[in-house]
Amino acid sequence: VPPLLSIITVTKNCAATIERALQSVRAIKTQEIEYLVIDGESTDGTLDILRRSGSLIDTLVSEKDSGVYNAMNKGAARATGMYVLFLNGDDRLNAEGFEVAIEILRTERPKILCCRSDVCWPNDTEVEVLVPRPLLLPFFNTIPHLSTFIATEVQRSFGYREDLRIASDYDLFLRLFLRGYRFRLADLITAIHYR
């Protein structure tokens, strides 16, 4: 039986923050969840921290890449879960909301599940909550990618455009929206994004 979810973290010199991300994965990880880390040949001690995390990480790759979206596509290609979720190396998951989201994936099987992200300063002071608004996608990016679970086959068939430096997650969501995919919304905070 494949895992329900593959969480993918792309890292490059994240030694200062990666432990926070790892601890948040440790708090929610079960048999249903696979964790992959795709590292871009970090040189600051990130790899040592990753290697010390024991059995938490199911797949660890460290190799050259041509940018963050190239690394994200590599992660999606290696994922064995039914869904993928991308967690940045300097952010963290929110266990309470996350467990409810997993239940929605397990029972409803939406192609795309969009939850909310809490945006915080490094000292955990809240700045704002990012609320997904798919209907506004033609105008600007309204989908918090940290809290968006996508069916793996959809993620792979659309993929991230590697020629875009910073807007490829927006480009992906817009293409899915224009193709008629339904975004299942859930009023849950599943991730904390640090400014």
Side-chain angles (χ1 to χ4, degrees), residues 7 9 34-39 55-61 75 78-80:
I7 300 172
T9 296
E34 167 187 58
Y35 188 38
L36 303 91
V37 179
I38 311 295
D39 179 76
S55 60
L56 178 69
I57 299 172
D58 299 293
T59 300
L60 173 59
V61 176
R78 289 172 192 258
T80 64

Side-chain angles (χ1 to χ4, degrees), residues 68-120:
V68 66
Y69 295 115
N70 174 237
M72 289 166 85
N73 282 336
K74 276 190 208 175
R78 289 172 192 258
T80 64
M82 295 170 64
Y83 290 89
V84 290
L85 175 73
F86 291 94
L87 171 68
N88 300 332
D90 49 1
D91 296 327
R92 70 181 170 87
L93 301 171
N94 179 42
E96 301 92 88
F98 193 90
E99 282 161 15
V100 182
I102 287 290
E103 187 56 31
I104 294 171
L105 296 181
R106 197 186 289 127
T107 55
E108 292 183 29
R109 299 284 161 88
K111 293 289 187 202
I112 304 165
L113 172 63
C114 294
C115 302
R116 300 174 175 204
S117 290
D118 209 352
V119 181
C120 290

